[in-house]
Amino acid sequence: MVEKAASRHSWSPAVIVATTAAICAPILALAQFIAHARVDEYDAWLFAYYGRQLLHGAVLYVDVWDNKPPGIFWLNALGQWLTPGSLVGVWVICGIAVALATAVFFVAVRRLYGLHVAGISTVLAAIYLNLQTFHVGCDRPNTFLVLTEIAAFALYVATLTRPSWQRWLVLAGVFGGLGLAFKQTALGASAAIVAHVVFLTASGRIPFRQALARIGLFAAGWLACVAALVGGLIATSSLDAAWYAIVGFNRLYFAPGAGSSMWPPFSWMEDHLRAMGLPLVLAGATLVHAIFRAVSRRRSGAAADGAGADHPGLLFMLWFWLVAAVYLAALGPHKRAPYLAVVLPPLMLLSAHAIHLLLAGAREAGRRVPAFHAFVAVCWVAYMVIWPLQMQVATAARQYYHRFLAPPDVHEQEVLAALRANSDPGEAIFVFGYSPRLYWLADRPPAIRYIGTEKVAQLGRNAQPVLNEIIADLEKAEPKVIVLDSARVSASRSIGGLDTGRLADWIDRDYRPVPGLEEVRVRRGPAAG
C-alpha cells in the first residue's frame, strides 16, 4: 500500500529522463567548451598533429611515435577525415563520447536503483566526471577510457538484472578490452567484473559451472577486442614498434629514479581530489554503512541479505574497482591529475549507491513529510556541488579570455614565422622539448619519429640511450630547421644533465641561428642561403 501511495506522487519516467537531460545538457556543454577552448591542453595538439600525419600516409609508431595506445590517434585521423582541414570532427567525436558516457551511466544506475536515483546520480556524474581537473571530455584518451569502463559495467549489470541476457557478457568484454586502445590502465572495470563473479561463486550464490560460463563469455569478448586491436596494428603499423611504444618503453619508467614504482606513493592524489569532496564522502559512507550492517547482522544472528539493490556483492565489486583504479592511477610516473580519470567511474557509481541509501532511508512508511535527515542530505548535496560548478564557470571564463581576447604569444608567432620562412611545406623540422602545437601550426612533417625530447626529460638520468637514438636519427634526417628549447644545447630544459656534447657540436657545425632568435637554427648550405 505504501509503495502504491508513493507511486501516485512520483514523476513519470519520461519526466525524470527529460529533466535529467535538461539539467545535464548545459553542464556538459560548459565542460565541452572548457575542454576544447583551454590553452593549457598540450597533448590535444599532439594527437591532432599525429592524426593529420596518419592521413598523409605516416605510419604510427614508425614515422610518428608516442608511448600511448593507438585509439586516440586513430580517432583523430577519423575526425579530421570527416572534416578535412578542421578539428571540428574530432570535437564532435569527443562530445558524442561524453554524451554517451552520461547516458550509459544513467541506464546502469536505473537498472540497479531505479529512475529517481538514476536522475540525481547522473546529474552528479555529469558534473564530476567532466571536471576540467581530469581532462575528461578533451581530445585525450581519458574521454574514451571513461566511456568504455562505464559501458562494460552497464552491460555486465544488464546480465545481472536479466539472467536471460547472459550473452551480453561478450559485449561487456568487448568494451572492457576496448579501453586498452586508449590507456594501458584500462583494467579496473574488467578486473572488478571477474572479481564479482568469483565473489558470487565463493559465497555460494552461483554454481562453479555458471561462473566459468560467465567468465568465459566475458573473456571471449575481451580477447576478441584485443585481437582486433592487434590486427589493426599489424595492418597499419609495425607490431614490434607498437609493442615497444605501448609496453616496452613504459617499462623504462620503473627504472630507479624514473618516477614509477610497483609500490607507488598515494599522497600526491590529495590535492587533485579536493574538488571531489562530495563523491568521496558518499563513497566512504557506503563502506562505513556496509561495515555497520555486517556487525549488526553478526550480533543479531540474521542471515546476510541482498543489500545493494538486491544484487549481492555489488558494493564489494565497486570498492574492488575503486581500489584497483587508485592503484593503477598511482603507477603513473608524473603524479598528474589526469591519471585519476580511471578512478572516476567507480567513484561516481559508489556515489549512486549512496544516493540510493539516502532515498531509501528518507521513505519512511506512513509519513507525508520526509524525515529531517532527508532535508539535511538534500541541502548538503546542493551545497557541495556549488564549488565545482563555480570552478567550471571560472575556468570557462579564463579560457575564453586567453583563447579569444588575450593577445597572441609574440614569441610563438616569431618562431612560427621563422619556421615558415626557412622551410617549405614538405621539408622536415624538429623541435626540442614538447611543442606539438608548433608542429600543427607550422604544418611541417617531423624529421624523425619522435616529436621532441619530452620523453628524454621524463626518463631523467636513464634517458641517455633515447637521446643517443634521437641524435643519430637527426644526423641522418638532416632537418631543415631545428628549434631548441633554450639558446644553447647545454642549457636545454629537456635534456639537461645528459651528455649533449655530440649534439652541440653537430648543431654548431651544420646549423646557423636565425638573427634575433638564437634557439631557431637553420641548416647551413646553399639551400639555406
Side-chain angles (χ1 to χ4, degrees), residues 115 148 230 248 280 375 466 508:
L115 273 170
T148 57
V230 172
L280 288 170
F375 288 105
V466 178
D508 290 341

Side-chain angles (χ1 to χ4, degrees), residues 126-490:
I127 296 171
Y128 288 100
L129 288 178
N130 296 281
L131 282 183
Q132 56 89 17
T133 308
F134 307 106
H135 293 247
V136 176
C138 300
D139 180 15
R140 278 200 180 203
N142 289 348
T143 301
F144 306 96
L145 164 71
V146 167
L147 171 59
T148 57
E149 293 277 271
I150 294 176
F153 174 80
L155 288 162
Y156 177 70
V157 164
T159 68
L160 295 178
T161 55
R162 296 200 177 180
S164 61
W165 289 14
Q166 291 302 299
R167 293 180 181 177
W168 286 64
L169 281 167
V170 175
L171 194 54
V174 168
F175 276 96
L178 186 59
L180 293 175
F182 300 99
K183 295 278 281 190
Q184 294 93 332
T185 55
L187 297 168
S190 298
I193 289 170
V194 173
H196 187 246
V197 176
V198 172
F199 172 88
L200 294 177
T201 309
S203 60
R205 290 179 170 88
I206 62 173
F208 183 72
R209 181 176 294 180
Q210 185 179 352
L212 282 181
R214 287 189 180 187
I215 292 177
L217 289 170
F218 181 81
W222 194 93
L223 291 173
C225 183
V226 172
L229 293 174
V230 172
L233 287 171
I234 293 174
T236 61
S237 180
S238 162
L239 191 57
D240 289 341
W243 176 262
Y244 170 73
I246 300 169
V247 179
F249 182 87
N250 288 286
R251 289 164 58 187
L252 298 177
Y253 287 128
F254 291 88
S260 288
S261 169
M262 295 305 294
W263 303 101
F266 298 94
S267 57
W268 63 270
M269 298 181 181
E270 181 182 356
D271 288 341
H272 301 309
L273 288 173
R274 288 183 179 177
M276 302 294 292
L278 175 60
L280 288 170
V281 171
L282 290 174
T286 64
L287 183 61
V288 174
H289 180 263
I291 293 172
F292 272 90
R293 286 176 67 94
V295 171
S296 175
R297 284 197 303 266
R298 182 167 232 177
R299 288 179 176 176
S300 64
D305 58 18
D310 298 322
H311 297 298
L314 178 68
L315 194 58
F316 162 79
M317 175 187 179
L318 293 177
W319 267 99
F320 181 96
W321 184 1
L322 180 64
V323 171
V326 168
Y327 176 75
L328 291 168
L331 290 177
H334 316 304
K335 315 298 184 288
R336 294 173 180 168
Y339 292 166
L340 293 169
V342 69
V343 177
L344 300 180
L347 183 60
M348 295 314 303
L349 287 165
L350 280 166
S351 298
H353 186 89
I355 296 295
H356 159 67
L357 294 175
L358 284 171
L359 290 185
R363 296 179 186 129
E364 295 187 9
R367 295 190 59 164
R368 289 182 174 273
V369 179
F372 179 71
H373 66 262
F375 288 105
V376 173
V378 170
C379 293
W380 175 70
V381 169
Y383 173 75
M384 290 294 287
V385 299
I386 291 174
W387 188 80
L389 288 175
Q390 285 181 331
M391 184 179 73
Q392 289 289 87
V393 172
T395 301
R398 287 196 303 271
Q399 298 301 335
Y400 179 83
Y401 170 78
H402 288 294
R403 188 66 179 265
F404 301 107
L405 302 180
D409 185 334
V410 175
H411 184 260
E412 180 188 69
Q413 294 297 312
E414 292 175 344
V415 172
L416 187 59
L419 279 170
R420 290 170 173 165
N422 290 281
S423 66
D424 294 327
E427 293 181 310
I429 64 172
F430 185 78
V431 183
F432 279 72
Y434 186 58
S435 301
R437 172 180 160 87
L438 203 57
Y439 277 95
W440 172 268
L441 294 175
D443 196 12
R444 301 293 190 267
I448 62 175
R449 63 176 182 165
Y450 295 101
I451 198 172
T453 49
E454 176 209 18
K455 302 306 177 188
V456 175
Q458 291 177 355
L459 293 177
R461 66 174 185 266
N462 304 298
Q464 191 65 52
V466 178
L467 178 59
N468 292 340
E469 178 190 351
I470 289 175
I471 294 172
D473 290 346
L474 285 175
E475 289 176 340
K476 293 178 184 177
E478 299 182 343
K480 184 64 179 295
V481 183
I482 287 177
V483 181
L484 301 173
D485 56 346
S486 64
R488 293 173 291 107
V489 171
S490 59

Side-chain angles (χ1 to χ4, degrees), residues 30-114:
L30 179 66
Q32 277 294 283
F33 172 79
I34 295 172
H36 303 302
R38 61 190 308 163
V39 296
D40 60 340
E41 183 56 280
Y42 303 108
D43 283 2
W45 293 108
L46 170 71
F47 305 137
Y49 178 70
Y50 276 14
R52 184 162 68 186
Q53 292 303 113
L54 294 182
L55 289 178
H56 291 170
V59 178
L60 185 60
Y61 305 121
V62 176
D63 301 320
V64 289
W65 188 96
D66 194 71
N67 62 333
K68 295 178 180 62
I72 191 65
F73 306 109
W74 289 343
L75 284 183
N76 269 266
L78 173 63
Q80 293 178 59
W81 178 76
L82 292 171
T83 54
S86 168
L87 292 177
V88 172
V90 178
W91 298 342
V92 169
I93 290 174
C94 292
I96 291 173
V98 167
L100 281 176
T102 308
V104 173
F105 185 93
F106 179 91
V107 171
V109 178
R110 160 70 179 86
R111 286 193 175 278
L112 288 172
Y113 306 116

